[in-house]
Amino acid sequence: MRSKSDTPRLARGPGRLVAFSDAVFAIAVTLLVLEIQPPADFGHLLRGLGALWSSYLAYALSFLLIGQVWVNHHVMFDRVRHVDHRVLFFNTLLLMVIAFLPFSTSLLAGALRAEEGLRTAVVVYGSTLWTAAALFNVTWAHLRRAELLDPSLGPFAARAIGRRFALALLWIGSGILVGAFVPIAGVVIIAGFLPAYYLPIRGEYGEDDNG
């Protein structure tokens, strides 16, 4: 009879996790457009469309930010060999935050349009993104500690990816802090997060681990 210690450990691949995550990301970006409602007055349609500028702005910002999360999600899980229950749990929390972002986006657009409550809206919006960034960091730290990453990922690349994820906490956190006092400046700081994070990560493909 096989003893408990002889039972092989389950090796659960990340495929289903990534597929489910991709579906949630796709649904989240689709829901963003539902916040943009057509003008009620078709007699002055052009003016009405122009008045929706805040919705367009919030939509574009959130779409690109969710896209950015999706890109970095693949950066992380392309290097994962196996996942465990903690990874599944952390990823579920991350997807819950992403699914909440359309509401935060609607809140930001409404505050911009009403010119009221903007500080609170920016803090809520930024806090949603910061929570997602925090979950990225927690997940990456666990993947490294539990040795669930592909062995071909060298230490330089692992540190480089970790630094990118950690920087997000500081960047978005500064946007929240500034936004609590100067809302538009906070939005600009958060938006400035976009071009930097679409750039490739140095060492991501292990080219500096063999030098």
Side-chain angles (χ1 to χ4, degrees), residues 114-184:
E115 298 182 355
E116 293 180 344
L118 192 52
R119 292 181 181 180
T120 301
V122 171
V123 169
V124 171
Y125 186 80
S127 297
T128 304
L129 295 170
W130 189 92
T131 303
L135 287 166
F136 259 89
N137 281 272
V138 170
T139 304
W140 185 250
H142 174 69
L143 288 168
R144 294 188 67 184
R145 184 171 56 252
E147 299 182 348
L148 296 172
L149 296 172
D150 191 320
S152 65
L153 183 69
F156 182 92
R159 288 193 300 269
I161 294 172
R163 283 194 297 269
R164 170 69 68 89
F165 292 161
L167 179 60
L169 292 173
L170 297 175
W171 197 315
I172 299 173
S174 65
I176 296 170
L177 183 61
V178 172
F181 298 95
V182 187
I184 297 301

Side-chain angles (χ1 to χ4, degrees), residues 61-141:
L61 179 60
S62 292
F63 196 106
L64 291 173
L65 283 168
I66 292 177
Q68 182 185 90
V69 175
W70 175 76
V71 167
N72 283 284
H73 192 269
H74 275 280
V75 168
M76 179 159 56
F77 281 96
D78 284 349
R79 291 298 195 170
V80 173
R81 179 179 50 175
H82 305 305
V83 297
D84 59 14
H85 276 86
R86 287 191 182 183
V87 175
L88 295 175
F89 176 65
F90 293 149
N91 193 71
T92 300
L93 293 180
L94 173 63
L95 296 179
M96 182 173 68
V97 173
I98 295 303
F100 186 77
L101 196 54
F103 170 76
S104 299
T105 302
S106 179
L107 200 67
L108 179 62
L112 285 168
R113 188 162 48 247
E115 298 182 355
E116 293 180 344
L118 192 52
R119 292 181 181 180
T120 301
V122 171
V123 169
V124 171
Y125 186 80
S127 297
T128 304
L129 295 170
W130 189 92
T131 303
L135 287 166
F136 259 89
N137 281 272
V138 170
T139 304
W140 185 250

Side-chain angles (χ1 to χ4, degrees), residues 22-36:
D22 285 349
V24 174
F25 286 128
I27 293 170
V29 295
T30 302
L31 291 175
L32 290 173
V33 77
L34 298 181
E35 196 280 327
I36 307 176

